[in-house]
Amino acid sequence: MQAFRMARHKMLFSSPLEQYLSRLSHPETTRQILTRVDHRWQSYCKGLEQPPQPIQLSDTEVEPELDVVICGGTLGILLATGLQAQGWRVALLEAGLLQGREQEWNLSREELETLVQLELLTPDEREQVITSEYSRGRIAFLGGPDHWATGVLNIGIYPVTLLELLKNKFLTLGGKLLENTGFASAVLSPHHACVSTQNGLTLNTRLLIDAMGHFSPIVAQARQGQTPSLICAVVGSCATGFPDNDKGDLLVTTTPIRQQMQYFWEAFPARAGGRTTYLFTYLDLDPGRGSLQAFFEDYATLLPEYQQCELAALQPLRLLAGLFPAYPDSPLRLPWGRTLAVGDAAAQQSPLSFGGFGAMVRHLPRLLRGIQAALAADCLDRLSLAELQPYAPNISVTWLFARTMQVPWRSSLPPDRINQLLNQVFTVLDQLGPEAMQTFLQDKPRWDSLTQTLIATLLQAPDLTLASVTQVGLPTLAQWLSHYLRLGVSSLRLKMAPVPDWTQPQASKAYFRELARYDALRYGTGLE
């Protein structure tokens, strides 16, 4: 009886987060994940990150037995399979087993069709990997109306099935998969890269591709302790027990600014009747912010009101948390030849998005074309490979939006400032039509729709616009104007640029540069 009373007392007085975690099959593992994320956050804030030095230089030359070694299998398998299908000798390193996680990846049907066009999936396999789909996604901010978008993050992909299909295809094509084989270091020579693994293997290759994500040791060395300009912190879960809801939420707020954070929600229908919900916020790295524990707690505290349910009615299947650092000088161009960062390692997404699968799929056709041309023409020096991660003005302009959605720690913004601004901006996007809304939400802002949005917002809400300019500061506005003008110039240049003949690839440096620079214009203006 005493034990029962103690257990009941603990349940009554434990926090909503603890109550939620206690219903997971492995709550202690999840607590460890939250602790690791919080420790990394505090290391960022205190400047305690010590960059490793896995890359060394040498003049020693050997004959490489491989064309490409890709480190990081979860998303690297997309590139690996595409390159192996083109006839290149590819090895893929994965620190664990190459298997997808249980949590779905969301993107649109149009984006998934890319994998069919690249012959990485058949039409039947495309349908096989889709486990959930919804019709419309909601955008809503406290105090304002609902806005709706179609064709944005509206299908759920089951990573377990997708990665198994790609893995089998890669091996059938003759690719070399090394599981439980993490990257350790690499010695770069003018004509090859010697890659060492954590279990003592050595691989000599013409090109080393880093697909190990934001926290890659290669990226850490290249950035040399550089502090991110902002962090997107995310906590979420997949659970059953929610009220029936066949719609998604793309960007929703239910609260004003609290604890110097503006919270945003995202939610998607999941397989087997579940629902995935995420809470995220954009943070500066002021040491005064301290722990993220209050943010994690607020997820469980606010979730019932957000989803109109009782927390006790939910059965969480898994909980996740993460940090997504953003740097103004992105995408990252590695400072060595024979190396290329892709996906989150290159930070090729905007600071507004989480990157990951969707960003990788978006850039996959460009990367496969460019890497193929670089290998064929032996354009594997530092300057040539930098052309495969070019400056993208349409990504750079999103920094202003990220700043307006972020609450500086040492500021005193009105509690409803961000909600009011976003209500106004999305009202204008609604007025401009579905294409303007879709391209903005898909991380592909275009000069014409961006210009129309800015002018309409300024005319309809001049006081709010001026207050937002004051919030971000004149230096940030001046930098943004430079990116905005370059976006306009690049859009004009694209209209006049000759289209390379993709059907007849050529093994020449001139063709590689023509192809890379044309793709840089297409992707950098959102017109790919």
Side-chain angles (χ1 to χ4, degrees):
M1 181 64 70
Q2 178 67 20
F4 173 78
R5 282 197 295 264
M6 289 178 65
R8 184 172 180 272
H9 180 274
K10 183 176 180 181
M11 179 60 74
L12 287 173
F13 292 97
S14 62
S15 70
L17 179 63
E18 275 301 314
Q19 294 178 36
Y20 196 55
L21 292 180
S22 68
R23 296 199 288 276
L24 288 164
S25 56
H26 300 287
E28 194 53 44
T29 301
T30 302
R31 291 187 186 96
Q32 292 170 3
I33 292 171
L34 296 178
T35 299
R36 282 200 301 270
V37 170
D38 196 28
H39 283 170
R40 183 177 287 276
W41 159 254
Q42 293 186 57
S43 294
Y44 269 131
C45 289
K46 297 173 183 176
L48 299 179
E49 292 286 310
Q50 295 297 319
Q53 303 292 318
I55 301 295
Q56 303 295 326
L57 304 180
S58 171
D59 292 327
T60 304
E61 294 293 349
V62 298
E63 185 65 28
E65 71 269 15
L66 294 162
D67 294 304
V68 183
V69 169
I70 301 176
C71 302
T74 302
L75 294 181
I77 186 65
L78 294 163
L79 263 183
T81 307
L83 290 171
Q84 187 70 37
Q86 293 172 350
W88 301 104
R89 301 166 298 172
V90 181
L92 179 63
L93 308 186
E94 172 54 41
L97 294 176
L98 183 54
Q99 57 187 17
R101 64 179 189 176
E102 290 294 320
Q103 193 84 8
E104 287 99 327
W105 290 331
N106 281 83
L107 76 173
S108 69
R109 273 193 172 271
E110 179 186 2
E111 290 165 326
L112 183 61
E113 190 64 24
T114 299
L115 302 187
V116 178
Q117 294 167 356
L118 294 172
E119 299 184 350
L120 298 179
L121 294 178
T122 65
D124 286 344
E125 290 170 339
R126 173 196 60 204
E127 298 307 311
Q128 187 180 342
V129 302
I130 298 174
T131 59
S132 61
E133 187 168 8
Y134 64 90
S135 57
R136 297 188 299 164
R138 181 173 66 121
I139 304 100
F141 308 102
L142 184 67
D146 288 350
H147 308 279
W148 296 93
T150 57
V152 180
L153 301 177
N154 63 314
I155 60 172
I157 305 301
Y158 189 37
V160 174
T161 304
L162 176 64
L163 265 62
E164 187 64 23
L165 289 169
L166 292 172
K167 174 180 173 178
N168 291 337
K169 193 159 297 189
F170 177 63
L171 293 173
T172 300
L173 290 167
K176 186 174 184 177
L177 173 61
L178 299 172
E179 295 179 298
N180 297 309
T181 306
F183 168 83
S185 62
V187 178
L188 306 180
S189 300
H191 297 97
H192 86 289
C194 180
V195 180
S196 298
T197 69
Q198 293 174 0
N199 54 359
L201 297 179
T202 300
L203 304 168
N204 291 296
T205 180
R206 296 174 62 203
L207 176 64
L208 168 62
I209 295 180
D210 180 3
M212 293 183 283
H214 292 294
F215 306 113
S216 155
I218 297 175
V219 169
Q221 180 177 350
R223 292 201 180 276
Q224 284 298 302
Q226 179 187 5
T227 301
S229 292
L230 65 82
I231 293 276
C232 179
V234 184
V235 61
S237 69
C238 183
T240 58
F242 289 104
D244 290 341
N245 186 348
D246 62 353
K247 306 292 191 301
D249 283 348
L250 299 174
L251 192 62
V252 171
T253 66
T254 60
T255 57
I257 293 170
R258 53 189 282 160
Q259 303 180 86
Q260 291 300 90
M261 291 182 281
Q262 176 63 64
Y263 290 158
F264 300 93
W265 290 96
E266 208 175 33
F268 307 109
R271 64 192 182 92
R275 190 167 181 83
T276 300
T277 55
Y278 298 103
L279 179 68
F280 61 97
T281 188
Y282 301 101
L283 304 170
D284 59 4
L285 279 83
D286 192 295
R289 284 195 180 273
S291 169
L292 287 178
Q293 184 61 34
F295 170 62
F296 298 149
E297 293 283 354
D298 278 347
Y299 169 72
T301 301
L302 299 173
L303 180 60
E305 179 185 358
Y306 165 52
Q307 286 293 300
Q308 297 296 295
C309 65
E310 295 291 333
L311 191 65
L314 303 181
Q315 176 54 55
L317 305 176
R318 50 197 169 270
L319 188 139
L320 55 89
L323 301 175
F324 297 86
Y327 302 84
D329 56 340
S330 295
L332 176 65
R333 300 177 175 190
L334 294 178
W336 316 283
R338 304 279 161 182
T339 57
L340 177 69
V342 300
D344 289 347
Q348 62 191 21
Q349 80 287 351
S350 87
L352 294 176
S353 73
F354 300 166
F357 180 62
M360 187 68 173
V361 169
R362 179 194 169 201
H363 289 271
L364 193 59
R366 176 183 70 82
L367 288 171
L368 284 172
R369 279 194 299 268
I371 294 169
Q372 156 91 352
L375 289 166
D378 201 33
C379 291
L380 303 175
D381 59 281
R382 177 179 64 85
L383 292 178
S384 294
L385 290 173
E387 300 223 41
L388 296 181
Q389 291 298 2
Y391 164 76
N394 69 329
I395 297 300
S396 295
V397 296
T398 61
W399 271 96
L400 184 71
F401 307 130
R403 292 294 189 195
T404 60
M405 296 166 71
Q406 168 198 335
V407 184
W409 177 249
R410 302 178 191 277
S411 68
S412 55
L413 294 182
D416 293 321
R417 165 68 58 76
I418 294 174
N419 284 318
Q420 290 172 349
L421 176 64
L422 291 175
N423 267 317
Q424 183 61 50
V425 169
F426 276 86
T427 295
V428 170
L429 287 171
D430 237 355
Q431 295 167 356
L432 293 177
E435 185 178 359
M437 178 80 76
Q438 188 178 69
T439 55
F440 184 86
L441 292 170
Q442 287 185 325
D443 219 7
K444 298 189 293 187
R446 299 175 182 174
W447 188 82
D448 52 356
S449 58
L450 177 61
T451 301
Q452 293 172 328
T453 303
L454 292 171
I455 292 174
T457 303
L458 178 61
L459 292 176
Q460 294 178 22
D463 293 343
L464 188 58
T465 305
L466 181 60
S468 299
V469 169
T470 304
Q471 173 188 336
V472 301
L474 290 178
T476 298
L477 180 63
Q479 291 177 354
W480 177 84
L481 282 172
S482 171
H483 297 308
Y484 169 73
L485 292 173
R486 293 177 73 176
L487 176 59
V489 171
S490 295
S491 301
L492 183 61
R493 287 177 57 202
L494 178 62
K495 292 181 179 180
M496 299 184 293
V499 180
D501 186 357
W502 292 328
T503 63
Q504 298 293 326
Q506 303 169 29
S508 73
K509 290 180 169 57
Y511 176 77
F512 165 74
R513 293 194 179 95
E514 179 188 18
L515 182 69
R517 291 171 186 178
Y518 184 78
D519 268 342
L521 287 175
R522 293 174 66 231
Y523 281 77
T525 55
L527 295 168
E528 71 273 13

